[in-house]
Every structure is written in C-alpha cells, then in structure tokens.
Amino acid sequence: MKHGSPCSRRRAEQRLPPHSCALFEKGPHGDQIASGLLPDQGGRMATARSPCNPQSTVDLGAQYITRTPHYAKKHQSFYDELLAHGILKPLTSPIEGMVMKEGDCNFVAPQGLSSIVKHYLEESGAEVSFRHRVTQINLRNDKWEVSKETGSPERFDIVVLTMPVPQILQLQGDIANLISECQRQQLESVCYSSRYALGLFYEAGTKIDVPWAGQYITSNPCTRFISIDNKKRNIESSEVGPSLVVHTTVPFAVTYLEHSTEDVRELIYQQLESILPGLPQPVVTKCQKWRYSQLRK
C-alpha cells in the first residue's frame, strides 16, 4: 500500500483512541535487491541509492512537488512543516521546457523525495513491512482480515488502500463483493500512463557539462525528461558523484512495456547518448518500469 504514511499521520493527529498502524509496501522489487541498489521506501516517490556510495541518490519517480494556489491553502500545514524541517526547499535550479501556471510554486527534496514519506512514517509510528503484497481482504467478525503472498493474515479495524485502481480490482476476497457493478465499471474506466525511468550513478569528480539541471524533451520518440538529480536538488559535492535520471515518453513505454528490462535499458541509453553525446560512463544503472505512472482519466 503506497503513500499510506500521510494517512497514518492524520490518524495520529485526530487524537483517536490508542491504536497501532501497519503499512504493507510490496517494494523494494527483487531486481532492485539483486542489482545491489540499496532499497528505499516511497513507492512512486522512491529514491534509489548507489551501492558504491549511499550518499549518491536519484529520484526515479516523482521529480519535484508542484504547489498550486488551491493546495497552498488546503495543505498549508504540511508545507510549513516540511519546509521548516528542510525536507522541502524551493526549486531554484533551471529546468528547461518547464510549463509554469500562474501562482504555482515548485519544491525539491534535498535528500530525495522518499524523505517526505520517511518523515510521515516516523511521525505516525506506523510499523512498515516491505515486500508484502496484499492478495485478499475479508471481513471476519467485524474485523478486516488482510492476507499477503507470504506470512499469516492480520486483522484490522480499518484498511486504507492507496495503490493504483487496477491493483485494487485484482484483490480477492470479500472486498470484491463489496464493490457494486456500477462502481466496478467506473473503476475499470480509470486509465494510467506508463513510463520507464533510467537512473545513472557516476564516480565522484565526474563532470556532466550542461547549463541546466533538468530538461523536458519534445523531439525524441523515447526521451521525455532528463534531470541531473544532484544539481536539481542543489546538493552537488566533490565527494559524491553526480546522478542522472531519464524518463521516457508514454508511447515508448507502451510499446516496450512487456520487454525485458535489459533490452529497454539499452534502448534508453542509446537515445540518451544521442541527446548528450560524450556522456561519461556510469558506474551503476537502474531501470525502473512504472506501469501505473500518472493518472490519465
């Protein structure tokens, strides 16, 4: 269940009777562990860490937080808290091709966007269990029994689902019967875009000589966005190598969604070299498939 940390925090703020809170996160994925990359929490706000230097990080999903005037008022307490703790800072680095709407303000997380999730989890006191994929939810004696691929079922008073809608519809048990036919049709009409992200880590002292920290690409069939991640977050250091992330276009991801990660990694890297010729060789790479990237409908 992803992005459940703010839910846990809100329950604590409401001064409810004493309770315990558990959060099941199906990541980190097996390929992430096998590749040697250090796992991190956050779902689509995950921050990957280089096994060569844990201080070298890259955001593979969300890149920055855009605060609209509406949410500036509605979520003011959240922004005030995150800014006061230094978890968020204004985005000041140049992002070429960014479209800004009047009143919008962008923020970055110096320690990676997963630091936002970590902050709320620590504040909530939730017990976090990784690599637990929820398979069934049943009603047992007025309690919700949650079954996972591994381990014994657990019972709760309240269950909050924050995964993408298609994954909710895949759940078995009583929860499937509680969704009416009309609701199911509406939920089945929800559409997401898909993308791939390629993260690259470099040795300390490596120079990536470009005048921007991020760039939106409109003329490449594969590449949509490139970010020099440490430069975007203003954490450049001579002791920590730079990191770079590439996000693909949606059509590219749809075309290669079921291809092997290795093949897709090579295709993305070839396109990146055509955009940034002479790019240094990375010491570690991480290719991430976002099957459910952004809500389209």
Side-chain angles (χ1 to χ4, degrees):
M1 301 179 190
K2 300 183 176 179
H3 307 316
S5 51
C7 298
S8 304
R9 169 63 182 278
R10 287 194 176 193
R11 282 186 60 80
E13 287 178 341
Q14 290 169 359
R15 299 182 180 179
L16 297 174
H19 65 279
S20 61
C21 182
L23 187 143
F24 299 119
E25 173 85 69
K26 74 173 185 178
H29 303 288
D31 64 335
Q32 188 176 24
I33 297 171
S35 67
L37 287 171
L38 302 182
D40 210 348
Q41 51 204 281
R44 274 159 289 278
M45 297 175 74
T47 302
R49 299 177 181 275
S50 169
C52 303
N53 185 345
Q55 291 181 296
S56 180
T57 62
V58 66
D59 286 325
L60 291 175
Q63 294 296 299
Y64 49 85
I65 303 293
T66 300
R67 184 185 67 186
T68 63
H70 171 73
Y71 284 109
K73 295 179 180 179
K74 187 174 182 179
H75 292 165
Q76 181 178 347
S77 62
F78 289 102
Y79 284 103
D80 289 346
E81 178 182 357
L82 294 172
L83 289 166
H85 283 81
I87 298 170
L88 282 185
K89 289 188 176 181
L91 170 61
T92 58
S93 303
I95 307 293
E96 290 189 359
M98 176 187 285
V99 177
M100 289 288 293
K101 296 181 181 179
E102 185 177 355
D104 285 359
C105 185
N106 293 315
F107 300 91
V108 291
Q111 300 307 312
L113 281 170
S114 68
S115 63
I116 301 174
V117 179
K118 290 179 183 178
H119 171 74
Y120 287 124
L121 287 176
E122 290 172 0
E123 292 288 307
S124 71
E127 177 185 344
V128 185
S129 299
F130 290 106
R131 304 185 72 184
H132 283 278
R133 181 175 182 176
V134 174
T135 56
Q136 291 190 42
I137 300 179
N138 291 292
L139 192 59
R140 300 280 190 264
N141 299 322
D142 295 326
K143 298 280 187 179
W144 292 106
E145 184 179 83
V146 178
S147 300
K148 309 175 290 290
E149 282 184 328
T150 58
S152 302
E154 298 183 46
R155 293 189 179 185
F156 303 95
D157 295 307
I158 299 172
V159 174
V160 179
L161 302 176
T162 63
M163 68 271 271
V165 170
Q167 294 177 342
I168 293 176
L169 293 176
Q170 292 170 9
L171 294 174
Q172 303 297 309
D174 292 336
I175 185 174
N177 301 325
L178 293 175
I179 301 175
S180 70
E181 185 60 32
C182 178
Q183 290 171 332
R184 181 171 293 276
Q185 290 177 0
Q186 290 177 318
L187 291 172
E188 288 175 345
S189 70
V190 174
C191 296
Y192 292 81
S193 62
S194 299
R195 293 184 191 274
Y196 277 96
L198 178 63
L200 302 94
F201 298 94
Y202 296 89
E203 292 182 343
T206 302
K207 301 295 182 183
I208 301 178
D209 191 19
V210 293
W212 39 263
Q215 184 182 56
Y216 284 93
I217 309 293
T218 58
S219 57
N220 189 279
C222 169
T223 306
R224 179 67 180 108
F225 180 76
I226 303 173
S227 171
I228 315 298
D229 222 37
N230 55 315
K231 188 174 181 180
K232 177 193 69 185
R233 293 188 259 148
N234 283 322
I235 56 168
E236 293 177 284
S237 168
S238 59
E239 299 178 357
V240 180
S243 59
L244 183 150
V245 65
V246 182
H247 278 189
T248 69
T249 63
V250 171
F252 175 89
V254 171
T255 301
Y256 295 98
L257 197 60
E258 306 305 334
H259 286 232
S260 73
T261 301
E262 288 300 321
D263 289 345
V264 174
R265 184 200 314 263
E266 184 60 30
L267 289 171
I268 298 172
Y269 193 75
Q270 289 175 2
Q271 291 296 324
L272 177 62
E273 286 188 311
S274 71
I275 298 170
L276 298 176
L279 193 66
Q281 283 293 316
V283 292
V284 181
T285 64
K286 161 63 178 174
C287 188
Q288 174 72 52
K289 179 197 298 184
W290 297 116
R291 183 179 295 272
Y292 306 112
S293 174
Q294 291 174 305
L295 190 66
R296 297 182 66 187
K297 177 183 176 184

